[in-house]
Amino acid sequence: MEFLRELKRTHRNGELRPAHVGEQVVLMGWVANRRDHGGCIFVDLRDRDGITQVYFDQTVDPAAHALAETMRSEYVIGVRGKVVTRGGNVNPKLPTGGIEVAVEEAIVFNEARTPPFPINDRVEVGEDLRLKYRFLDLRRAPLQHALVLRSKANHVARDFMVEQGFLELETPILTKATPEGARDYLVPSRVHPGRFYALPQSPQLFKQLFMVAGYDRYFQLCRCFRDEDLRAERQPEFTQIDVEMSFVDQDDVFAVIEGLLVRLWKETIGVDVVTPLPRLTYADAMNRFGSDKPDLRFGLELVDLTEAASQVDFVVFKNAVAQGGLVKAIRLPGGGLTRAQLDRLPEVVAPYGAKGVAWVRIKEDGGWQSPIAKFIAPEQQLDIATRMGLEVGDLAFFVADAPSVTHAALGALRLHLGKTLDLIPKDQFAFAWVTDFPSFEWDPEAKRWIAMHHPFTSPRPEDIPLMDTDPGKVYARAYDCVCNGYEIGGGSIRIHQRAVQEKVFELLGMSEEESREKFGFLLDAFSYGAPPHGGIAMGMDRLIMLLVGTDSIRDVIAYPKTQRASCLMTDAPSSVEIEQLREVHIRVQPPAK
Ligand code: ASP
């Protein structure tokens, strides 16, 4: 039993082939499965490389056989033995299926309790249980596949960026707030009572300062922290491939990222990404798809009927138009929704503030079957049908509301129809650039302008005068990269002139004092020779999600948090000793009831 002191593992469990027959090997791993055939016990021995069948024959080594009788699932064992052929008993499902190992010596390194769920990826297990026992879930094939691919993608990205002349530079985690539109995670300072570090929402300012310092072409695989409400594709901390370059325009940034995507897709899943990627403006994306991150794998584009709707007597349409709203519609060729499915559509649009969605089915005689048919005169029906290209059997869906509501509601409806009717091709990647975003949007609650990307984004030079007169008309030199309905990256050409940056801060409602206090170092830097620069950050978790083909970010992160931002395995966040709080000058106030 002491053999392991002298012997090293010779192979991983996915390695042995018929060419190894006759060799003495030492294997180690977990008992994935054990079958007792009396005088002979078979064990599937697993490590992250694969599975090898080993057997303990009483007549070969009675001690090893006796030990194998005690083995249970997930015991950690080591075996020494000879590789033998399986002859006619080949298991075609395993790469090692042509051989097995006749065990001559064995050791149990550690026993294992019965796991709370089988380490068998065919068994569905609730996510909470999987998160609590993440170390067991990580043994299963889907997560292993995702993390192995993720490791590969990190290497590919680094290789590519370094080849392109980028420096991989690190930036602080304990830092000062960088606004990306989310809440900060704060860390209290022990040394400076009442003061706080913020965890970076991104390394935005540091990468810009690298440009000022002359470190043209920076990248980093970095962690970003944003305290926001979580959805399926969000985590409180996430990873970006963060990029910044000097003396560039938008096309230069696009070229680097397109090269990166080509390499990532080719080298991890063998898929060719065709470049240059299509581009569409923000306005086009909203008008045609109702979303600034359109899923371009399928059609069902929005049709603008505002003009036609202004002519009809139907009050819902009329009022919407009168109040500056939009009436838009989606044509679903061939119909294809049941009555019950139609009845459920209001639930799809309600979360976006839409008061409803009207539908029309075109009858055999070309007439309208629709709850709203009676409100719309036949010639107006014909006008709408012509504008939409409606044919017999088609369905059409209408939303009439404020522009943002109409777009959001129909954008969601479009995705719902695509999914429900299986119109979205799997295994396809529809990348695109979305460009020409507005610089600022009005926040009606805060009653002030906010930056649509972030405050360091350069307005189009020709729009700078509009900042004084009509900020809503200022366009930004900002861009997003989208794929299959996800925003997978975003960036901009930056402001590099102090006066422009000060003007933007002012527009965003920051007093001179406040901007000095928060961003004085950046403004200072801009007065010491800042080159024109720009960059982008790609969301690594979302890229991996796409490569793996899952729709949950938690499926590609080793130790993720729940939607309520807690870690079920470690129980973070947790309370701390009163003494620890005292050290950082904090007293906890229970939340008001
Ligand atoms: N800092 C930005 C973000 O995290 C990306 C960029 O503008 O480069 O979204």
Side-chain angles (χ1 to χ4, degrees):
M1 217 62 82
E2 289 296 297
F3 74 100
L4 283 158
R5 297 246 167 96
E6 295 120 49
L7 282 185
K8 281 246 173 278
R9 175 163 64 159
T10 59
H11 293 82
R12 291 175 183 276
N13 292 326
E15 263 184 84
L16 296 175
R17 297 288 181 276
H20 295 97
V21 167
E23 282 181 31
Q24 279 284 328
V25 296
V26 176
L27 301 179
M28 294 171 190
W30 286 259
V31 173
N33 191 314
R34 175 178 157 285
R35 297 172 300 279
D36 193 341
H37 292 193
C40 196
I41 294 171
F42 293 88
V43 162
D44 289 340
L45 192 59
R46 186 194 67 232
D47 61 19
R48 78 165 162 85
D49 194 49
I51 283 182
T52 301
Q53 174 163 294
V54 303
Y55 69 88
F56 303 78
D57 187 335
Q58 208 165 21
T59 63
V60 174
D61 182 50
H65 179 268
L67 191 61
E69 283 189 321
T70 69
M71 292 176 189
R72 297 289 175 268
S73 282
E74 302 309 312
Y75 275 32
V76 187
I77 66 168
V79 298
R80 186 178 62 74
K82 192 151 71 196
V83 183
V84 298
T85 173
R86 284 225 216 157
N89 256 337
V90 168
N91 179 351
K93 284 195 208 117
L94 288 181
T96 60
I99 56 91
E100 56 193 337
V101 171
V103 177
E104 292 165 15
E105 264 182 296
I107 183 171
V108 170
F109 294 116
N110 214 340
E111 301 177 353
R113 286 158 63 187
T114 306
F117 50 84
I119 310 301
N120 170 345
D121 45 284
R122 283 180 299 277
V123 180
E124 281 282 331
V125 183
E127 194 177 27
D128 280 3
L129 198 61
R130 293 203 286 116
L131 288 173
K132 180 163 166 60
Y133 294 95
R134 194 62 166 178
F135 48 90
L136 295 179
D137 197 20
L138 284 167
R139 286 185 194 166
R140 305 168 93 210
L143 270 178
Q144 263 184 24
H145 168 70
L147 293 188
V148 169
L149 189 147
R150 189 170 181 135
S151 165
K152 171 93 189 166
N154 283 348
H155 283 263
V156 171
R158 285 203 161 92
D159 283 349
F160 177 80
M161 296 306 284
V162 171
E163 277 166 35
Q164 298 292 314
F166 286 81
L167 296 172
E168 182 171 8
L169 302 172
E170 289 162 79
T171 50
I173 294 294
L174 292 177
T175 177
K176 198 159 161 154
T178 298
E180 295 279 0
R183 219 173 278 115
D184 287 320
Y185 277 102
L186 297 174
V187 180
S189 165
R190 177 181 56 82
V191 186
H192 303 279
R195 292 177 168 247
F196 295 82
Y197 303 95
L199 302 184
Q201 292 188 33
S202 84
Q204 183 60 34
L205 296 175
F206 291 104
K207 68 175 175 174
Q208 289 190 239
L209 292 171
F210 275 142
M211 298 303 111
V212 177
Y215 291 73
D216 184 0
R217 295 200 159 219
Y218 139 98
F219 88 101
Q220 182 180 195
L221 267 69
C222 61
R223 203 62 69 78
C224 302
F225 305 85
R226 298 183 192 175
D227 186 0
E228 53 196 349
D229 292 332
L230 303 176
R231 285 180 259 133
E233 85 280 21
R234 293 237 170 121
Q235 280 280 299
E237 54 181 304
F238 58 92
T239 306
Q240 287 185 343
I241 308 181
D242 197 39
V243 176
E244 198 73 7
M245 307 157 75
S246 293
F247 308 112
V248 292
D249 59 26
Q250 172 175 294
D251 287 353
D252 300 303
V253 177
F254 287 8
V256 168
I257 297 304
E258 288 178 356
L260 173 66
L261 292 173
V262 166
R263 276 278 281 279
L264 278 175
W265 256 249
K266 189 71 188 174
E267 289 189 24
T268 56
I269 58 170
V271 167
D272 291 308
V273 173
V274 180
T275 57
L277 302 182
R279 301 181 186 189
L280 70 173
T281 64
Y282 170 79
D284 270 348
M286 295 308 287
N287 283 330
R288 292 170 54 195
F289 304 99
S291 166
D292 60 358
K293 41 179 194 288
D295 190 336
L296 301 170
R297 288 174 297 175
F298 69 111
L300 302 189
E301 293 191 20
L302 280 49
V303 184
D304 192 346
L305 296 172
T306 309
E307 195 198 303
S310 64
Q311 314 294 319
V312 304
D313 296 327
F314 182 33
V315 281
V316 175
F317 283 8
K318 245 186 144 147
N319 289 351
V321 179
Q323 286 161 19
L326 289 177
V327 179
K328 295 187 102 168
I330 292 175
R331 167 182 175 231
L332 180 62
L337 284 191
T338 62
R339 187 58 204 245
Q341 285 171 321
L342 284 175
D343 288 342
R344 240 175 290 136
L345 296 185
E347 291 164 30
V348 176
V349 299
Y352 304 92
K355 289 175 282 296
V357 47
W359 60 267
V360 166
R361 197 189 289 277
I362 306 298
K363 296 191 288 194
E364 279 299 321
D365 62 3
W368 281 24
Q369 177 199 345
S370 166
I372 64 167
K374 57 178 177 286
F375 303 114
I376 299 177
E379 64 279 8
Q380 290 163 343
Q381 291 183 5
L382 196 64
D383 179 34
I384 290 173
T386 311
R387 288 172 192 259
M388 294 189 70
L390 293 179
E391 291 173 14
V392 169
D394 287 356
L395 274 168
F397 306 97
F398 303 80
V399 171
D401 221 307
S404 60
V405 173
T406 300
H407 283 147
L410 281 176
L413 182 67
R414 174 177 176 266
L415 290 181
H416 173 81
L417 294 173
K419 279 182 199 139
T420 311
L421 297 168
D422 220 0
L423 303 174
I424 308 177
K426 312 258 177 324
D427 301 328
Q428 215 175 318
F429 299 97
F431 293 94
W433 293 107
V434 180
T435 63
D436 299 272
F437 283 83
S439 277
F440 309 106
E441 64 191 337
W442 181 252
D443 180 343
E445 265 164 51
K447 294 207 178 41
R448 63 177 185 86
W449 292 101
I450 53 174
M452 224 166 138
H453 187 52
H454 52 53
F456 317 105
T457 296
S458 173
R460 284 197 309 211
E462 63 270 31
D463 293 348
I464 288 179
L466 286 172
M467 284 170 57
D468 295 319
T469 52
D470 200 352
K473 290 232 165 66
V474 177
Y475 281 88
R477 299 170 77 189
Y479 32 79
D480 277 354
C481 190
V482 300
C483 182
N484 294 3
Y486 293 107
E487 180 198 323
I488 57 171
S492 60
I493 301 301
R494 323 297 182 190
I495 296 167
H496 68 282
Q497 286 151 321
R498 182 179 177 134
V500 180
Q501 188 64 71
E502 282 173 335
K503 206 171 164 65
V504 168
F505 286 153
E506 191 192 320
L507 177 69
L508 298 176
M510 241 183 263
S511 68
E512 216 180 302
E513 211 185 358
E514 195 184 351
S515 57
R516 267 233 68 82
E517 206 250 320
K518 284 187 174 150
F519 305 114
F521 60 104
L522 180 76
L523 295 170
D524 268 356
F526 282 174
S527 51
Y528 286 99
H533 59 285
I536 191 166
M538 302 298 290
M540 196 59 180
D541 309 287
R542 289 188 196 163
L543 292 177
I544 306 291
M545 253 171 77
L546 287 165
L547 289 168
V548 167
T550 169
D551 52 16
S552 167
I553 204 170
R554 294 187 295 279
D555 290 345
V556 300
I557 294 177
Y559 302 105
K561 298 193 173 53
T562 63
Q563 305 248 11
R564 297 210 56 229
S566 46
C567 170
L568 297 183
M569 185 177 70
T570 62
D571 257 340
S574 48
S575 46
V576 297
E577 297 295 325
I578 210 86
E579 192 40 44
Q580 271 182 295
L581 287 176
R582 236 179 247 137
E583 277 172 356
V584 291
H585 322 284
I586 289 212
R587 187 183 302 137
V588 174
Q589 190 133 43
K593 285 263 160 62

